Amino acid sequence: MTTLDTAITAVTVYPDRARVTRSGKASLAAGEHRIRVSPLPVSLLRDSIRVAGQGEVTVLGVDVVTERQAEPSDEQVSALLARMRELDAAMNQLADADRASEARIKFLERLARESAEQLAKTDEARVIAFGDSLESQYSAVHTARRDRERLRQEHIREHQALERRLADLRGKTKPDAQAAIITVEAADPVTVDLELSYVVRGASWHSSYDLRLGDAGLSLRWFGLIQQSTGEDWPECRLQLSTARPAQAVDIPELSPWFISPAVPATPVPRRRAMSYGASMDDTVGSYPLAGSAPMMAAPGSPQPAPPPVRESVATVEQGITAATYTPQRTIAVPADGTAHRTQITALDLEADLDYVTAPARSLEAILRATARNTSEHTLPEGRASLFHDAEYVGATDLDPWAPGEERELALGVDARIRVERELVRRNATKATLGSSRRIEVEYSITIANHTPRPARVTVLDRLPVSRDAVITVRDTVLKPQPTERDELGILTWKTELNARAETTIAFGYRVEAAKGVTVSGLPD
C-alpha cells in the first residue's frame, strides 16, 4: 500500500458544512495499486467522498476506514480522554438544542405576526390567553438557553482543565481519524495527480454587513464570517462561499390596533406584568453626527488634490440556478478552533431615499429610514448589519434576505435633532344620566421640530381607539391637519416636510360614547 502525501488545495463552505479538496502526486508502476490518504477528519460524510485528477490510470474504487489510535496504557490518562469525549458529546448536544431553540423563536414570532389580525376580531379573553401562552413559551425558551450556556461554560472549563492535566501526564494524544483507500490500475508506469474531495460537518459561514451613510450616499459592505471545528486546519487555499444547502436592534416603529370594549365584571386578580415582544429602542445611540454635519477643514497653503480612495477587494461570483458561489480574492487560513474569520464579498453603493419615522405613542424618537433598492446581481442573505454615520457607529439592525431589484426599508438609527413631543391637551369624562350615555373626550397635541441644517421629511404615526361592540362608538373630533392615510384599525399617518430649524404641530382628538350601564375598558386613565 502506498501512502500519498496530500495538502488541502480548495474548500467550498456551505451554510452548514464544507467540501474539502486534497491534492497529491504519485508515481506508480504498471499494475493495481492501493493508495492511502490519511489522516482525514472523523466528521466527513462517507458517501460524499470523490476521486478525480489527471493521469493515465483507472480508479477502481475508494473506501473509507477508521484508523483508531492506541489508547494510553496509563489508566489515569485513559480516564481523562474518556471524560473529554463525554464533554465533547455533551457540548454537541447543547449546540443542537441551541439550533432548535432558534427555530422555535422564529416560529413563535411568525405565529404572533400571522395571528394578530385574527385575534383582533376575537374576544379579549382569547387575546389574553394567547399572550399568556406566548409569554410562557418565550420565557421557557430563554430560560433553557441561559441554562445551556451556563452548562456549556462549565463543560469548557472542565475540558480545559482536563487538557492541562493530560499534557502534564502524557502530552496530547491524537484522536481517531479516517483514511481513504483509493484503488487504481495503471497500464504503464505513470505519474498521476490525484484529487480527493469530501464533505464534512462542523463548518459554516454566515453574512454580516456594514451600512454606512456618508456624503456620497448609502453604501453596503457584505462580509462572510467563516468558522469551522472539523478537526483539520484549512491553510490558505482556494476558498469559496456557496449559498447552496446540500441534502438567523433598531426597528422602524409600527403600531398595533387599539381596541376598546365593554368591561366584563370579574373577580379581582393580581396585576400581571406587562409583556413586550418588540425590540427596545433604548439600546441605540441617541446623539451622533449625521453625514455632512461636520465642517470640512481647509488645508493650509494652496489646495492639494484629494488622494484617491483605497481600493476594496471583492469576490467573484458564479450564479447557479438556485444558489451562488463566491470566491474571495484574498485567501485566508481557517483553523479548526471555531473562531470566526471574516472576508469581504462585495461592496455596493445604494441609491436611497431618506426620511424619518416616529410613533410618539410608543417612543418620542425619530428613526432615520432609508428606502433603498438592491440594484446588484447579488441576493443578500439574512445577517446582522452594523450602522455607521460616516465613521460613527450608531447601532445595529437585522437585515432580512434581499433579492436583486427588491426595495427595502432600512432603519439607520435615532436622530436626536428631530425632536418629538406628545402632550395630552384635554380629557373630559361625563357620567351617564337617565336615558343618556357616558361620554369621554380626549385630545392630543404632537409637535415635531427639525433642528438639522437641512429639510427633513417626517412620517408621524398615531392611533385612535377601535370599538369591538356596537354599544361603544368612537368618533374623531379633531384632526388638524387631516392625516395622509387612515386605516380601518385606527392607525393614522401624517407625512410632512419640515424646513431646517422649523417645527409643526398635529392636533387630534376623539370622543368615546358608551350606552348606559356600560363600562369602557382599554382607555388610559
Side-chain angles (χ1 to χ4, degrees), residues 25 73 92 101 126 247 319 473 487 493:
K25 187 185 294 290
S73 57
N92 288 335
S101 68
R126 290 191 60 186
Q319 296 285 356
T473 60
D487 65 21
T493 303

Side-chain angles (χ1 to χ4, degrees), residues 42-272:
V42 178
S43 60
L44 73 83
L45 303 180
R46 293 190 172 214
D47 59 354
S48 69
I49 198 161
R50 295 292 184 270
V51 177
Q54 295 178 340
E56 293 293 334
V57 297
T58 301
V59 178
L60 303 179
V62 57
D63 297 313
V64 179
V65 298
T66 300
E67 295 182 333
R68 301 195 179 279
Q69 306 297 322
E71 293 287 347
S73 57
D74 188 285
E75 294 182 359
Q76 188 176 6
V77 174
S78 300
L80 291 177
L81 292 174
R83 179 55 183 162
M84 289 170 66
R85 286 193 290 268
E86 291 176 0
L87 291 174
D88 290 337
M91 285 191 285
N92 288 335
Q93 292 178 351
L94 293 175
D96 292 339
D98 284 341
R99 286 190 288 271
S101 68
E102 290 292 338
R104 183 168 183 82
I105 288 175
K106 291 182 179 180
F107 169 75
L108 292 174
E109 291 174 345
R110 185 170 63 253
L111 178 63
R113 290 194 301 267
E114 295 176 353
S115 303
E117 184 174 349
Q118 295 297 326
L119 288 172
K121 303 175 183 178
T122 63
D123 56 70
E124 185 176 4
R126 290 191 60 186
V127 175
I128 294 175
F130 182 75
D132 289 346
S133 175
L134 275 182
E135 180 184 32
S136 174
Q137 295 185 63
Y138 270 103
S139 177
V141 170
H142 289 297
T143 299
R145 290 177 65 178
R146 289 191 295 271
D147 291 342
R148 285 194 299 272
E149 182 59 28
R150 186 163 51 250
L151 184 58
R152 181 184 290 107
Q153 294 303 319
E154 293 175 359
H155 288 344
I156 291 174
R157 287 192 292 270
E158 183 180 356
H159 199 285
Q160 292 172 343
L162 292 174
E163 287 178 339
R164 291 191 294 270
R165 291 175 58 190
L166 185 61
D168 291 339
L169 291 173
R170 294 290 303 273
K172 294 184 177 179
T173 302
K174 293 183 179 180
D176 294 344
Q178 305 273 43
I181 309 300
I182 307 171
T183 304
V184 301
E185 185 178 42
D188 301 298
V190 65
T191 298
V192 60
D193 292 319
L194 288 177
E195 289 185 353
L196 181 74
S197 65
Y198 47 88
V199 173
V200 288
R201 298 188 187 277
S204 64
W205 79 278
H206 62 277
S207 297
S208 71
Y209 302 91
D210 282 355
L211 279 171
R212 192 177 300 272
L213 183 63
D215 291 330
L218 182 65
S219 64
L220 179 145
R221 299 296 181 266
W222 177 18
F223 302 97
L225 297 179
I226 310 156
Q227 58 190 67
Q228 61 105 348
S229 53
T230 63
E232 60 180 2
D233 296 335
W234 299 342
E236 291 187 4
C237 61
R238 176 179 170 83
L239 181 69
Q240 294 183 312
L241 307 179
S242 175
T243 60
R245 293 183 178 270
Q248 200 145 119
V250 177
D251 295 329
I252 294 175
E254 296 181 358
L255 293 178
S256 57
W258 179 12
F259 297 104
I260 59 176
S261 59
V264 179
T267 303
V269 296
R271 183 176 296 274
R272 189 180 302 276

Side-chain angles (χ1 to χ4, degrees), residues 6 53-54 57 73 103 172 184 206 215-216 261 281-283 295 306 321 339 367 385 398 415 493 496 503 518:
T6 61
Q54 295 178 340
V57 297
S73 57
K172 294 184 177 179
V184 301
H206 62 277
D215 291 330
S261 59
M281 302 179 70
D282 294 337
D283 58 352
I321 297 177
T339 58
I367 299 295
D398 291 319
D415 190 345
T493 303
T496 182
E503 69 175 41
V518 175

Side-chain angles (χ1 to χ4, degrees), residues 273-451:
R273 181 176 59 86
M275 296 181 297
S276 175
Y277 300 110
S280 171
M281 302 179 70
D282 294 337
D283 58 352
T284 59
V285 178
S287 178
Y288 49 80
L290 281 174
S293 60
M296 299 296 294
M297 300 299 295
S302 59
Q304 299 293 325
V310 297
R311 293 184 295 273
E312 295 183 278
S313 171
V314 297
T316 58
V317 58
E318 298 176 16
Q319 296 285 356
I321 297 177
T322 60
T325 300
Y326 298 89
T327 305
Q329 291 186 8
R330 183 177 71 89
T331 59
I332 58 173
V334 184
D337 57 4
T339 58
H341 298 263
R342 189 169 82 162
T343 183
Q344 181 163 315
I345 298 176
T346 193
L348 305 176
D349 292 325
L350 304 175
E351 295 182 0
D353 183 26
L354 301 178
D355 67 346
Y356 295 91
V357 182
T358 181
R362 171 181 168 181
S363 175
L364 299 178
E365 293 176 324
I367 299 295
L368 179 61
R369 173 176 64 179
T371 303
R373 185 179 301 276
N374 181 2
T375 56
S376 72
E377 62 177 338
H378 306 289
T379 297
L380 305 178
E382 65 179 353
R384 192 71 170 169
S386 299
L387 306 177
F388 296 87
H389 289 181
D390 286 332
E392 297 292 332
Y393 174 78
V394 298
T397 187
D398 291 319
L399 191 66
D400 291 330
W402 196 358
E406 183 181 4
E407 191 173 81
R408 178 65 53 80
E409 291 184 351
L410 306 173
L412 300 183
V414 177
D415 190 345
R417 298 174 302 175
I418 303 294
R419 304 297 296 274
V420 181
E421 296 181 0
R422 185 178 191 263
E423 180 183 1
L424 177 63
V425 176
R426 184 169 63 91
R427 189 180 192 281
N428 294 329
T430 63
K431 295 183 178 180
T433 59
L434 184 63
S436 68
S437 60
R438 185 182 181 217
R439 176 182 299 176
I440 303 171
E441 292 187 351
V442 180
E443 185 174 337
Y444 289 95
S445 174
I446 301 174
T447 302
I448 305 99
N450 176 17
H451 294 281

